[in-house]
Amino acid sequence: MNLLWLVLGCMDPPTEVDKDAVQTAFARKNVATVCVGLQMADPDLQEFSTKAIRDLSGEAVDKCICDNLVDEEGNLREGVAKGLKGEEKNERAECFAKLITNPKLKDPKRAADLFADMEAPIVNTSLNNIAHNKGVDPEIRAYSLSLLASNAEYIDSALMLVKDSNPKVQASALYALGFHVDSKEARRAIFSNRKSSKPEVRAAALFAFKKHMPNKADDELCDAILNDSEAVVRKAALKALEGFKRRDAARCMRTLAMKEEPDAEVREQLLETLKSAQGDGEVAANKVLCDAIPFWLRTYIKDDVVTNLKGVNIVKAQNDVDFQNSLKCFERAYRSSSGYSCYAKMHIALWYNLVSGKDKKTPLCPGMDEYSE
């Protein structure tokens, strides 16, 4: 048996393996064969093999991991990266850190996410270094900083990067400072950037402002929701109000829901924020969702079916959170069809039939034989 093991150990590794082959090779401490598992196309096999090879030792193990984090086309081997979750050895984290800043890497944000799941001492230090490295893509700098947002050890770093020349990095720093509600320095930085001329910075400051002043920020957030010229700021202000409990917060959202909002992402966030209402705010939010249906049908559903549009499905949003009143809301919208496009008429007729149990004829648009969602 020992002779056979020696012979097998000297053989060239196979070009393909499965889990059984990896398990057998692991039992024999055959690093080269286990390493082949990291190179297979199946992410599950990559992850399985990576977890196995981590329990082996030697320079060949570290080299195998580092050499196989990406495939031949520069794509992250996600299974290998997932297999490194909880890894504590710096040697294996170091090559991963270098990979994140490689301009040839596809989807570096995903790589940063998975890198952050490692537990080697250099992980957070590396993310912080990336955030401060002006030679790196600002998107990656900002994202790396966001992964450290709640870590109190890096509050000084965030305070420093609020003054960075790139607005994306500044915004990420302000977002991070929003988590540190006991810091006066953080609050001063947030307050001083609420009126920034840079939309991303203004948006992040408003979001962080709500974290620091949960009971005093609503008026300013509502003003941004209704009056800021930049969609990114309107969306951030709405996002900051998620989970609101006060009826007053729903008032500005009612105003926004009843006027044309050109940005689909802002409309989508409006629906999400209204759906998230709690306590006294829930009743007011549900009424907004119900009352605004006819306006949304007339304004946003004009040239295509709802499933091909973004930020328009207020009918489903209402039904998701207040289905007890859906019949009343949908019937009123169904009967208020003046000015609806054929797509809007189809949409509300389908939902009205669904909640009422009736089978009213669904008007079809030209060229359509049937309609469903």
Side-chain angles (χ1 to χ4, degrees), residues 204-229:
L206 284 172
F207 188 82
F209 178 48
K210 176 66 173 177
K211 296 277 192 183
H212 278 253
M213 308 291 287
N215 299 319
K216 297 182 180 180
D218 289 3
D219 287 346
E220 191 163 335
L221 291 170
C222 279
D223 180 66
I225 287 167
L226 296 176
N227 300 312
D228 200 285
S229 61

Side-chain angles (χ1 to χ4, degrees), residues 46-296:
Q46 293 172 6
E47 184 175 355
F48 178 83
S49 303
T50 303
K51 289 177 178 177
I53 207 168
R54 283 173 56 191
D55 287 334
L56 300 176
S57 59
E59 292 182 6
V61 172
D62 297 341
K63 186 176 188 307
C64 171
I65 291 172
C66 290
D67 287 351
N68 289 293
L69 278 166
V70 294
D71 62 21
E72 297 79 2
E73 297 176 354
N75 297 305
L76 178 73
R77 284 195 172 109
E78 191 154 321
V80 176
K82 285 182 177 179
L84 290 171
K85 183 175 182 178
E87 174 60 59
E88 297 179 350
K89 293 185 177 180
N90 279 339
E91 294 83 0
R92 298 171 186 178
E94 189 173 9
C95 58
F96 202 154
K98 292 176 182 177
L99 177 67
I100 296 169
T101 59
N102 186 334
K104 295 181 180 179
L105 178 68
K106 299 173 184 178
D107 202 1
K109 289 184 180 179
R110 179 60 177 157
D113 278 332
L114 294 169
F115 175 67
D117 285 338
M118 299 176 75
E119 295 179 7
I122 68 164
V123 168
N124 287 345
T125 303
S126 297
L127 289 170
N128 188 53
N129 289 340
I130 291 170
H132 283 269
N133 187 345
K134 294 191 176 183
V136 174
D137 183 339
E139 288 272 0
I140 308 308
R141 293 179 62 205
Y143 195 74
S144 296
L145 180 59
S146 74
L147 294 173
L148 300 171
S150 62
N151 192 324
E153 292 183 23
Y154 293 93
I155 184 172
D156 289 342
S157 184
L159 287 166
M160 185 182 304
L161 289 171
V162 166
K163 301 174 184 178
D164 195 86
S165 58
N166 188 277
K168 294 184 187 303
V169 177
Q170 286 182 280
S172 186
L174 287 164
Y175 169 79
L177 293 176
F179 287 87
H180 304 288
V181 295
D182 295 326
S183 168
K184 293 180 180 179
E185 293 88 349
R187 192 169 299 127
R188 280 196 290 269
I190 291 164
F191 281 22
S192 65
N193 281 283
R194 288 177 297 160
K195 304 297 182 182
S196 170
S197 61
K198 303 169 186 175
E200 302 102 315
V201 174
R202 196 160 70 247
L206 284 172
F207 188 82
F209 178 48
K210 176 66 173 177
K211 296 277 192 183
H212 278 253
M213 308 291 287
N215 299 319
K216 297 182 180 180
D218 289 3
D219 287 346
E220 191 163 335
L221 291 170
C222 279
D223 180 66
I225 287 167
L226 296 176
N227 300 312
D228 200 285
S229 61
E230 298 292 337
V232 66
V233 180
R234 300 196 299 277
K235 180 181 176 181
L238 285 165
K239 179 75 175 174
L241 284 169
E242 279 188 354
F244 71 94
K245 298 178 180 179
R246 297 171 60 245
R247 285 177 173 270
D248 287 349
R251 291 178 184 172
C252 61
M253 283 181 261
R254 168 175 283 275
T255 301
L256 180 61
M258 295 297 188
K259 73 171 190 174
E260 185 168 3
E261 167 53 61
D263 190 89
E265 290 191 9
V266 175
R267 297 195 303 267
E268 193 74 24
Q269 184 60 59
L270 173 60
L271 296 179
E272 290 301 314
T273 301
L274 287 168
K275 286 168 59 177
S276 74
Q278 302 174 27
D280 291 342
E282 185 176 359
V283 174
N286 290 348
K287 191 168 186 339
V288 174
L289 287 168
C290 180
D291 293 349
I293 290 173
F295 177 79
W296 281 52

Side-chain angles (χ1 to χ4, degrees), residues 8-17 25 30-37 39:
L8 290 174
C10 293
M11 292 174 61
D12 289 335
T15 56
E16 292 186 9
V17 293
N30 185 336
V31 173
T33 299
V34 177
C35 187
V36 175
Q39 301 162 19

